[in-house]
């Protein structure tokens, strides 16, 4: 019920943006900025690039405001643009340009600050190793499988939404997800 | 009975169960089954482990100036003339390859067709070859007439 209300709210806000209400655009940005940039970050694994692509997503939404028709879920449309941009970026081979890691030094030469959420250093290190293994395992997946699994696991999109975002059928999405999870079960088995 | 190894939709059930998206009645039935089925229990355990491991990967927060940069881009775009906005969009590196790939293919196909059409137009290139036989014919006729002149016996004068 809450989800339905949220979907309707998104469409309503976008209709208002179409009518020239920039406050509604700010609200949409506030609601979806995080999920979109996080999805892009997990896709391209580079913070700066994910934010750049995220800006492009919202810029395209803003440019398309005049022609917006609430025929599909707003989030589906948003993730379709984000997926398209991320897959293009990966396909064009821009991945090699820079790869950030939480354990590596940042651009200004300072060690990246990791929030102190765990009680001791040892646990923090174990957590860091696990996180890196997860990142590597996801990075090794084919781009479409990666996109599907990220939308399913982290964004909790429905099969039909993922299918629209990837421009394929629902059964193709289920097949992509099954293969991706099967690969991850094998690659991450040692972490269990 | 829901058994992942026998059920046609086994993969979907496994994914939905671990995502907590399976219908409660179906989930209860499945839980009853995995108590007795070792294979399904093993699969569920492995999938749950993947699910937990994926939870370890929390992304970094979005930069605080994200919105400010976006609004600056929007303002910049709105301040530029429409034709330049259009040019930026079509020449943007984020879209060029996917958008232009079919356009380039179509342009090349069109160029090939145009060249083929020009080459095959009757009267442009074929015209020259049509004129030449005519010239040859006239020359031949003239030469033949000359030859005939040579062959024509010179009238002899009266015998003296």
């Amino acid at each position: 019920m809450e989800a339905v209300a949220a979907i309707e709210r998104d469409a309503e806000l976008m209709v208002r943006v179409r009518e020239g209400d920039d406050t509604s655009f700010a609200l949409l940005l506030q609601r979806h900025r995080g999920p979109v940039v996080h999805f892009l970050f997990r896709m391209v694994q580079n913070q700066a690039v994910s934010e750049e692509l995220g800006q492009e997503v919202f810029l395209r939404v803003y440019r398309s405001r005049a022609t917006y028709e609430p025929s599909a879920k707003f989030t589906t449309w948003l993730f379709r643009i984000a997926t398209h941009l991320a897959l293009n970026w990966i396909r064009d081979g821009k991945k090699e340009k820079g790869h950030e890691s939480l354990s590596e030094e940042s651009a200004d030469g300072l060690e990246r600050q990791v929030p102190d959420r765990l009680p001791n250093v040892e646990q923090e290190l174990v957590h860091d190793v696990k996180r890196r293994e997860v990142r590597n395992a996801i990075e090794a997946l084919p781009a479409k499988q990666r996109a599907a699994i990220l939308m399913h696991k982290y964004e909790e999109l429905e099969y039909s939404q993922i299918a629209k975002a990837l421009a394929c059928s629902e059964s193709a999405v289920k097949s992509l997800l099954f293969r991706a999870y099967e690969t991850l079960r094998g690659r991450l088995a040692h972490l269990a | 009975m829901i058994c992942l190894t026998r059920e046609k939709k086994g993969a979907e059930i496994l994914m939905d169960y671990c995502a907590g998206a399976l219908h409660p009645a179906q989930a209860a039935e499945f839980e009853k089954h995995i108590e007795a089925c070792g294979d399904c229990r093993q699969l569920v355990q492995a999938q749950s482990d993947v699910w937990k491991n994926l939870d370890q990967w929390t992304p970094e927060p979005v930069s605080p100036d994200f919105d400010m940069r976006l609004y600056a881009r929007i303002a910049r775009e709105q301040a530029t003339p429409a034709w330049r906005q259009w040019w930026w969009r079509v020449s943007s590196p984020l879209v060029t390859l996917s958008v232009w790939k079919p356009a380039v293919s179509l342009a090349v196909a069109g160029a090939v067709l145009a060249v083929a059409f020009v080459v095959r137009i009757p009267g442009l290139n074929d015209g020259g070859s049509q004129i030449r036989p005519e010239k040859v014919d006239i020359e031949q006729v003239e030469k033949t007439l000359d030859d005939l002149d040579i062959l024509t016996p010179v009238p002899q004068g009266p015998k003296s």
Side-chain angles (χ1 to χ4, degrees):
Chain A
M1 209 56 184
E2 219 170 87
V4 174
I7 290 160
E8 282 171 2
R9 177 103 178 106
D10 283 339
E12 197 185 308
L13 286 171
M14 197 55 208
V15 168
R16 283 195 207 153
V17 175
R18 187 180 65 188
E19 288 158 6
D21 180 13
D22 285 348
T23 316
S24 295
F25 182 74
L27 283 171
L28 278 173
L29 182 60
Q30 198 184 330
R31 283 163 70 94
H32 299 287
R33 177 210 305 120
V36 167
V37 175
H38 292 160
F39 166 74
L40 287 164
F41 172 71
R42 287 179 173 121
M43 275 300 284
V44 302
Q45 305 215 359
N46 180 307
Q47 186 68 21
V49 173
S50 64
E51 291 201 5
E52 188 61 28
L53 294 176
Q55 295 226 332
E56 188 63 29
V57 171
F58 287 103
L59 200 60
R60 288 182 185 205
V61 168
Y62 191 78
R63 277 181 199 150
S64 313
R65 66 195 183 284
T67 53
Y68 175 76
E69 287 298 334
S71 53
K73 283 180 184 172
F74 179 77
T75 41
T76 307
W77 181 44
L78 205 59
F79 278 93
R80 192 187 163 100
I81 302 171
T83 306
H84 176 76
L85 289 172
L87 291 178
N88 273 1
W89 190 85
I90 292 165
R91 188 203 53 201
D92 293 349
K94 293 172 184 167
K95 186 114 189 60
E96 292 77 26
K97 282 189 177 175
H99 187 96
E100 287 181 33
S101 164
L102 284 169
S103 58
E104 288 165 9
E105 285 191 348
S106 58
D108 53 9
L110 298 169
E111 190 79 18
R112 192 179 287 280
Q113 297 291 306
V114 179
D116 189 17
R117 279 172 293 195
L118 293 168
N120 61 50
V121 178
E122 199 181 330
Q123 273 182 303
E124 180 61 54
L125 281 172
V126 170
H127 185 74
D128 216 32
V129 168
K130 276 190 173 183
R131 189 165 42 200
R132 197 176 308 164
E133 295 250 13
V134 169
R135 281 180 65 153
N136 292 342
I138 287 188
E139 192 183 5
L141 291 172
K144 260 193 160 180
Q145 283 187 27
R146 199 188 316 169
I149 214 164
L150 295 180
M151 281 187 271
H152 182 250
K153 169 70 182 89
Y154 297 106
E155 310 311 328
E156 297 177 358
L157 297 194
E158 294 162 12
Y159 297 123
S160 60
Q161 287 184 288
I162 302 171
K164 277 178 190 159
L166 289 173
C168 61
S169 66
E170 268 189 57
S171 56
V173 165
K174 285 172 191 169
S175 168
L176 279 174
L177 284 171
F178 177 69
R179 275 184 279 146
Y181 280 125
E182 196 176 36
T183 307
L184 291 181
R185 284 201 294 269
R187 283 192 190 141
L188 301 174
H190 64 287
L191 295 178
Chain B
M1 184 189 73
I2 303 173
C3 184
L4 298 177
T5 54
R6 289 179 204 166
E7 186 79 30
K8 203 179 168 189
K9 291 186 169 183
E12 194 180 333
I13 292 167
L14 177 66
M15 288 189 294
D16 287 349
Y17 177 73
C18 291
L22 203 61
H23 189 275
Q26 216 177 355
E29 192 189 339
F30 183 55
E31 273 165 12
K32 213 172 176 183
H33 168 74
I34 53 177
E35 280 174 20
C37 180
D39 289 343
C40 287
R41 204 166 45 240
Q42 212 176 335
L43 266 173
V44 168
Q45 185 60 53
Q47 179 71 5
S48 302
D49 288 341
V50 167
W51 207 256
K52 276 182 213 154
N53 283 321
L54 292 179
D55 283 334
Q56 307 266 344
W57 190 14
T58 47
E60 290 180 68
V62 181
S63 303
D65 64 344
F66 182 88
D67 292 7
M68 202 181 69
R69 283 186 285 136
L70 176 65
Y71 286 127
R73 279 181 75 172
I74 290 173
R76 221 170 28 242
E77 207 175 276
Q78 283 178 332
T80 50
W83 68 268
R84 197 176 284 176
Q85 282 179 37
W86 175 84
W87 176 247
W88 281 348
R89 272 175 224 173
V90 295
S91 61
S92 162
L94 287 167
V95 291
T96 41
L97 276 174
S98 57
V99 170
W100 286 109
K101 252 184 185 174
V104 169
S105 313
L106 278 173
V108 169
V112 169
L113 278 173
V115 168
F117 183 67
V118 168
V119 166
R120 299 280 300 169
I121 281 179
L124 275 181
N125 287 343
D126 296 356
S129 57
Q130 276 177 345
I131 292 164
R132 190 167 288 198
E134 274 176 29
K135 274 187 181 170
V136 170
D137 286 346
I138 291 164
E139 279 169 12
Q140 265 184 341
V141 171
E142 280 175 355
K143 203 177 171 196
T144 310
L145 285 171
D146 288 346
D147 290 347
L148 280 172
D149 280 347
I150 293 166
L151 288 172
T152 308
V154 178
Q156 288 179 346
K159 282 183 183 175
S160 56

